[in-house]
Amino acid sequence: MQTQLTEEYLNSKTGQKADSILRKCVHCGFCNATCPTYQILGDELDGPRGRIYQIKDYLEGKGNINSLQLHLDRCLTCRSCETTCPSGVEYHKLLDIGRDIVHQHGKRPLLERIKRSILLGILPNRQRFGQLIRLAQVFRPLMPPSLKRKIPARSKQQSVATKNHHRFVLLLEGCVQPALAPTIHTATRNVLNKIGITVVTPPQAGCCGALPFHLGETEKARQMCRNNIDAWWPWIEKGAEFILVNTSGCGPMLKDYIDILADDPEYSAKARKVSELCRDISELLSCEDLSGLTGKRTTAIAFHSPCSLQHAQGINNLVEPILANAGFNLTTVTDTHLCCGSAGTYSLFQPEIANQLRKNKLETLEKNQADVIATANIGCLMHLAEKSTLPVRHWIELLDEG
């Protein structure tokens, strides 16, 4: 693709990065074929190719900031288009540039600005979010069904493995998962304990930074990245094998620390190390001896592979063999590449599109007589569970229960 960026952008690192990405695009349109929003809305501007053109136009001084904001907001950041693209266009990096432009130059309605501010003040803060969830759980029995489904019931206390092993990994606790589904971390510790690995969770570590980053709050996200690096670094120096992620939505962010802090002289080298050490839990377990976790199980599982796992991290067909080898029966699921509509805070800002995508996804997951839906991301889990006729669990919980 030919570009003619304005002098302002051509002389900036951001503009040069965007120009390099834009020039790889051959506007073939293969990306639209797998784009969830294009399939639903049928609008070229709501497909990757259309969004790329809009960002290009703005960088060339011809774009409309209101139109750019509208259509970038509708993007799920599922990155299915990157899986499809034959030219290797790093669409998500161009999207981040576009969102940063919208954040700097766009003007949102007052109520939307308030909503975003509230979410940014609560969701990335593990303590604050946890307090609100616990309060909501107290009043959950009095809530109408539509609201009750959004609040998880209190989880029963489970035994946690405490044995110390020679091998140890760091676990990203994240922001919302400890409050919404604490059993996921418990199951992770138990499974790793069974194969001789200790889990360490430095309390100073918090949100991975993805939530503010994708809402255009780039500097706030970078500060969260630095905070996590500071929390993990002493343990990395002590020999932590990996930084483990059991929420696939956080994995791409951690693996991108290397790019996000590339221009930070104090943190760039440490960010590179963190990105190199980051592993999804399926990546770790696929290389371990799991014979002690096998058994005869009768549960039929429909596995939903989150976009953050299969597209953003390129992790495919790792979870399914682990579950199958452990004795579970996996049902056939069609259109596995399509997003469920959760996409972080997307379902809160674009409910109509998110609900339609969820409806489509549940039809494919529930149609082949599964007993339970398994997934690898807390956002997908909560979004699907709200309307699913089947229980929705994290796959590591199922592996722990055998």
Side-chain angles (χ1 to χ4, degrees):
M1 178 183 291
Q2 292 184 340
T3 59
Q4 293 180 327
L5 272 61
T6 63
E7 187 173 345
E8 174 192 355
Y9 283 112
L10 274 178
N11 293 330
S12 70
K13 287 186 177 180
T14 297
Q16 292 164 8
K17 183 179 180 180
D19 192 56
S20 175
I21 297 171
L22 286 167
R23 288 179 176 274
K24 288 184 179 180
C25 179
V26 296
H27 44 84
C28 63
F30 286 1
C31 53
N32 283 349
T34 57
C35 174
T37 51
Y38 180 77
Q39 289 193 7
I40 288 178
L41 300 173
D43 187 340
E44 174 74 15
L45 297 180
D46 284 312
R49 182 170 62 179
R51 295 185 181 108
I52 287 172
Y53 267 105
Q54 289 176 90
I55 294 172
K56 172 179 175 290
D57 283 347
Y58 193 87
L59 295 173
E60 293 179 339
K62 301 175 291 188
N64 180 287
I65 193 68
N66 293 326
S67 177
L68 182 63
Q69 177 179 294
L70 173 67
H71 297 290
L72 292 193
D73 283 354
R74 287 179 181 166
C75 179
L76 293 141
T77 323
C78 70
R79 293 172 63 173
S80 180
C81 56
E82 292 188 10
T83 301
T84 310
C85 180
S87 302
V89 176
E90 294 178 297
Y91 169 78
H92 75 285
K93 293 183 179 180
L94 188 63
L95 182 65
D96 291 336
I97 291 171
R99 284 176 170 158
D100 195 44
I101 289 171
V102 166
H103 182 69
Q104 292 181 42
H105 304 291
K107 184 71 172 179
R108 297 184 182 278
L110 178 60
L111 288 178
E112 186 176 342
R113 296 202 304 272
I114 293 173
K115 184 177 182 180
R116 283 174 170 253
S117 179
I118 291 173
L119 289 176
L120 284 168
I122 295 175
L123 294 184
N125 188 305
R126 182 165 61 233
Q127 289 74 26
R128 195 174 298 161
F129 181 77
Q131 290 170 353
L132 286 175
I133 288 296
R134 287 190 289 274
L135 180 62
Q137 287 171 333
V138 172
F139 294 99
R140 186 175 183 271
L142 306 176
M143 294 178 181
S146 59
L147 186 57
K148 185 182 294 186
R149 286 194 294 266
K150 295 179 181 293
I151 307 298
R154 288 184 177 179
S155 300
K156 294 180 180 179
Q157 289 289 338
Q158 292 182 310
S159 59
V160 181
T162 57
K163 184 177 180 180
N164 289 322
H165 302 280
H166 177 68
R167 299 175 63 189
F168 77 95
V169 297
L170 303 175
L171 176 66
L172 173 72
E173 285 195 288
C175 45
V176 302
Q177 183 166 284
L180 294 175
T183 51
I184 296 174
H185 285 332
T186 301
T188 299
R189 291 184 177 93
N190 288 340
V191 168
L192 292 182
N193 179 65
K194 292 173 185 176
I195 62 173
I197 301 175
T198 298
V199 173
V200 176
T201 53
Q204 301 88 347
C207 175
C208 67
L211 192 149
F213 192 73
H214 294 310
L215 289 179
E217 296 280 356
T218 307
E219 190 47 48
K220 185 171 185 177
R222 287 195 178 107
Q223 190 51 49
M224 289 180 176
C225 299
R226 297 184 189 103
N227 175 73
N228 286 337
I229 291 173
D230 288 340
W232 292 327
W233 199 252
W235 294 96
I236 291 174
E237 292 183 320
K238 291 178 183 178
E241 285 188 42
F242 301 113
I243 299 171
L244 203 62
V245 178
N246 59 12
T247 302
S248 66
C250 299
M253 186 69 182
L254 262 65
K255 291 178 179 180
D256 273 351
Y257 275 21
I258 184 174
D259 293 324
I260 294 167
L261 295 176
D263 297 327
D264 189 319
E266 184 179 353
Y267 283 88
S268 59
K270 291 181 178 180
R272 175 183 292 275
K273 183 65 174 179
V274 166
S275 292
E276 291 172 351
L277 289 178
C278 178
R279 295 289 189 280
D280 183 81
I281 189 169
S282 64
E283 293 180 284
L284 171 62
L285 293 183
S286 66
C287 299
E288 299 292 331
D289 179 7
L290 304 181
S291 57
L293 301 176
T294 59
K296 188 175 182 180
R297 298 175 166 100
T298 58
T299 305
I301 298 173
F303 180 65
H304 164 60
S305 180
C307 301
S308 50
L309 189 69
Q310 61 173 311
H311 300 308
Q313 298 186 72
I315 298 174
N316 291 285
N317 201 34
L318 287 187
V319 176
E320 296 92 322
I322 292 173
L323 292 173
N325 291 337
F328 290 103
N329 174 38
L330 273 77
T331 65
T332 301
V333 179
T334 58
D335 293 329
T336 55
H337 66 284
L338 290 178
C339 184
C340 71
S342 172
T345 58
Y346 187 89
S347 60
L348 301 176
F349 291 107
Q350 304 286 339
E352 290 185 9
I353 299 174
N355 290 344
Q356 182 60 53
L357 289 170
R358 176 174 58 194
K359 180 176 180 294
N360 297 345
K361 178 61 66 174
L362 285 174
E363 286 177 358
T364 66
L365 291 167
E366 295 177 346
K367 71 178 182 181
N368 286 326
Q369 297 182 321
D371 299 311
V372 62
I373 294 171
T375 188
N377 187 48
I378 185 63
C380 302
L381 190 156
M382 298 301 298
H383 185 57
L384 293 172
E386 188 179 338
K387 292 292 184 180
S388 176
T389 60
L390 300 175
V392 185
R393 308 283 302 282
H394 192 291
W395 67 270
I396 197 68
E397 295 179 278
L398 300 175
L399 193 63
D400 180 41
E401 290 174 357

